[in-house]
Amino acid sequence: MCGIVGYVGKNQAPSILIDGLGKLEYRGYDSAGIAVFDGNEINIAKTKGRLSNLIKLLLENPLSGTIGIGHTRWATHGAPSDLNAHPHFNKDHSIVVVHNGIIENYLKLKKKLMSKGYEFLSETDTEVIAHMLDYYYNGDPLATITKVMHRMEGSYALGILFRDHPDEVYAVRKDSPLIVGTSKSGNLIASDVPAVLKYTRDVYFLENEEIVKLTRDGLHFYNIDEEELEKEATHIDWDMN
């Protein structure tokens, strides 16, 4: 089933991402990774195997930053490996994405991108999304994301960082669950509520083809036509066992 987490706020992102991924281990996975923006560059740590492998990797090579995304992967396209693990970059490491779901027309999209000179490091359909975002990027993340959504077929939940929009996390949902949490110390995305309960009990449930932009101070929701939406939070009053 895979798991997505994301955070932007006042605190260090790596520990929050790892904690959230730990709460999603029940979904099953064969690799794990995070991407964190350090103020200059987006840095990735990812590895096949258990979350403990990623934690060990981060102890050896720590990442620092207050904005990031993370993922636990269950292989669909490409065997479990370090290269196939999420997150996935575009060609110049200025856009990074994590993805749950399956892009049904990814081979058609990949063929087009290869004809334009794009090279692929992994066997995943997710890397196609990263390069599609790169191909259509015009400086406006929202417009770029909606353009790519119109061209993808299948199911997906996405978490996306753009290096030149360093204070923003973008997330998208189509036929794959994704929630948004809000707190005084920052805002979060996750595949399921348990990943955010440590930090907040106020969550928003994304509907199909909805997009959210998270900043340190607020949330903005949009539909696929880039029209801003008003959404109401749900207060979670249950606890994890």
Side-chain angles (χ1 to χ4, degrees), residues 46 57 82 84 90 112 148 181 219-220 230:
K46 60 181 183 175
L57 183 63
D82 292 353
N84 287 334
N90 67 331
K112 172 181 177 175
V148 172
L219 305 170
H220 298 274
E230 295 290 335

Side-chain angles (χ1 to χ4, degrees), residues 167-184:
D167 299 315
E168 300 169 355
V169 174
Y170 287 84
V172 179
R173 183 207 166 191
K174 181 178 181 290
D175 298 326
S176 189
L178 200 65
I179 62 115
V180 181
T182 182
S183 73
K184 292 181 179 179

Side-chain angles (χ1 to χ4, degrees), residues 68-125:
I69 52 177
H71 190 264
T72 48
R73 175 182 188 251
W74 187 260
T76 54
H77 296 86
S81 70
D82 292 353
L83 280 178
N84 287 334
H86 298 207
H88 287 284
F89 270 130
N90 67 331
K91 58 184 178 180
D92 67 355
H93 292 192
S94 61
I95 302 172
V96 67
V97 61
V98 292
H99 162 226
N100 289 350
I102 296 176
I103 305 304
E104 296 172 357
N105 63 335
Y106 88 101
L107 285 174
K108 177 182 177 181
L109 298 174
K110 185 174 183 177
K111 183 177 180 181
K112 172 181 177 175
L113 290 165
M114 291 177 71
S115 74
K116 301 293 184 180
Y118 284 85
E119 298 179 355
F120 288 80
L121 302 176
S122 77
E123 303 168 278
T124 67
D125 53 345

Side-chain angles (χ1 to χ4, degrees), residues 5-227:
V5 295
Y7 173 77
V8 54
K10 303 174 183 178
N11 300 324
Q12 283 294 306
S15 60
I16 294 173
L17 298 176
I18 292 296
D19 180 73
L21 292 177
K23 299 298 193 301
L24 298 175
E25 284 190 293
Y26 71 90
R27 297 170 67 87
Y29 68 102
D30 53 48
S31 58
I34 64 172
V36 178
F37 183 74
D38 67 5
N40 295 302
E41 300 293 336
I42 302 171
N43 300 297
I44 280 182
K46 60 181 183 175
T47 181
K48 67 177 181 178
R50 307 303 296 173
L51 192 58
S52 58
N53 294 350
L54 178 60
I55 293 170
K56 180 180 178 181
L57 183 63
L58 289 167
L59 288 173
E60 296 169 353
N61 299 282
L63 300 185
S64 178
T66 59
I67 180 170
I69 52 177
H71 190 264
T72 48
R73 175 182 188 251
W74 187 260
T76 54
H77 296 86
S81 70
D82 292 353
L83 280 178
N84 287 334
H86 298 207
H88 287 284
F89 270 130
N90 67 331
K91 58 184 178 180
D92 67 355
H93 292 192
S94 61
I95 302 172
V96 67
V97 61
V98 292
H99 162 226
N100 289 350
I102 296 176
I103 305 304
E104 296 172 357
N105 63 335
Y106 88 101
L107 285 174
K108 177 182 177 181
L109 298 174
K110 185 174 183 177
K111 183 177 180 181
K112 172 181 177 175
L113 290 165
M114 291 177 71
S115 74
K116 301 293 184 180
Y118 284 85
E119 298 179 355
F120 288 80
L121 302 176
S122 77
E123 303 168 278
T124 67
D125 53 345
T126 304
E127 191 179 4
V128 172
I129 302 172
H131 291 312
M132 286 283 288
L133 290 165
D134 179 276
Y135 180 72
Y136 287 109
Y137 188 56
N138 62 358
D140 182 339
L142 180 61
T144 301
I145 290 168
T146 57
K147 191 169 289 187
V148 172
M149 289 172 67
H150 280 294
R151 285 155 178 80
M152 292 193 302
E153 300 171 5
S155 64
Y156 49 85
L158 308 176
I160 310 167
L161 300 182
F162 294 83
R163 187 176 62 197
D164 60 352
H165 289 262
D167 299 315
E168 300 169 355
V169 174
Y170 287 84
V172 179
R173 183 207 166 191
K174 181 178 181 290
D175 298 326
S176 189
L178 200 65
I179 62 115
V180 181
T182 182
S183 73
K184 292 181 179 179
S185 62
N187 295 307
L188 308 99
I189 58 169
S191 297
D192 201 358
V193 171
V196 305
L197 281 182
K198 180 177 177 179
Y199 308 99
T200 182
R201 291 182 172 273
D202 296 316
V203 304
Y204 297 84
F205 293 90
L206 287 187
E207 302 296 333
N208 264 347
E209 297 188 330
E210 288 186 350
I211 306 154
V212 59
K213 177 177 74 173
L214 297 85
T215 67
R216 288 173 175 81
D217 302 317
L219 305 170
H220 298 274
F221 297 93
Y222 305 91
N223 62 23
I224 198 170
D225 295 319
E226 302 176 43
E227 298 167 335

